[in-house]
Amino acid sequence: MKLLCLTLAFVVFASASAASADGDAVAGAVVFRKCGACHTATAPENRVGPSLMGVVGRPVASVPDYQYSSAMTAFGAGGKVWDEALLRKYLPSPQFLVKGTRMTFPGLKNERDLDNLIAYLKNPAAAQ
């Protein structure tokens, strides 16, 4: 009986850990409110910042009709793509990674917020 209980506890813990690593798009939509004053993730409209619709998998500094800072354009040179790994480096401290960027956002320090925000950016419709 103890073995069964330990096995069940392990399975529950392992599945909960895997789910949290993937992020929650609904929770990510709440985190995105911090970004919403300057960006949209559900429309191709640029605001103070470029649209983030389809950002995951998109080349850096590539939104048409958006005037990027020279720092962001230089950062994107060489074909960098906004994948999950690059977003995880950028979002905690945008100004540290891209010195001279116009983005004044102080960054996301919480790993769960990063997981959730990336899940939302990958699929904003999942938060509906």
Side-chain angles (χ1 to χ4, degrees):
M1 185 65 167
K2 280 185 179 179
L3 182 58
L4 178 61
C5 288
L6 286 172
T7 303
L8 286 174
F10 176 77
V11 169
V12 168
F13 176 76
S15 65
S17 295
S20 67
D22 291 338
D24 176 358
V26 174
V30 174
V31 176
F32 187 78
R33 290 180 190 159
K34 296 176 182 181
C35 315
C38 298
H39 299 279
T40 180
T42 57
E45 94 185 45
N46 296 323
R47 295 183 179 168
V48 172
S51 170
L52 298 180
M53 187 172 90
V55 69
V56 180
R58 181 173 76 203
V60 171
S62 65
V63 172
D65 302 324
Y66 184 78
Q67 185 66 38
Y68 290 94
S69 66
S70 57
M72 186 58 75
T73 302
F75 178 72
K80 283 189 183 81
V81 173
W82 288 120
D83 59 13
E84 291 184 46
L86 187 56
L87 286 167
R88 285 185 186 285
K89 289 179 187 175
Y90 180 71
L91 290 171
S93 186
Q95 295 169 344
F96 177 78
L97 189 63
V98 182
K99 296 190 182 350
T101 183
R102 290 189 307 241
M103 188 163 143
T104 60
F105 182 68
L108 289 176
K109 308 303 184 210
N110 182 295
E111 288 294 320
R112 170 130 3 219
D113 285 350
L114 281 170
D115 291 341
N116 294 337
L117 180 60
I118 290 169
Y120 175 71
L121 291 173
K122 286 169 62 177
N123 187 7
Q128 302 297 324

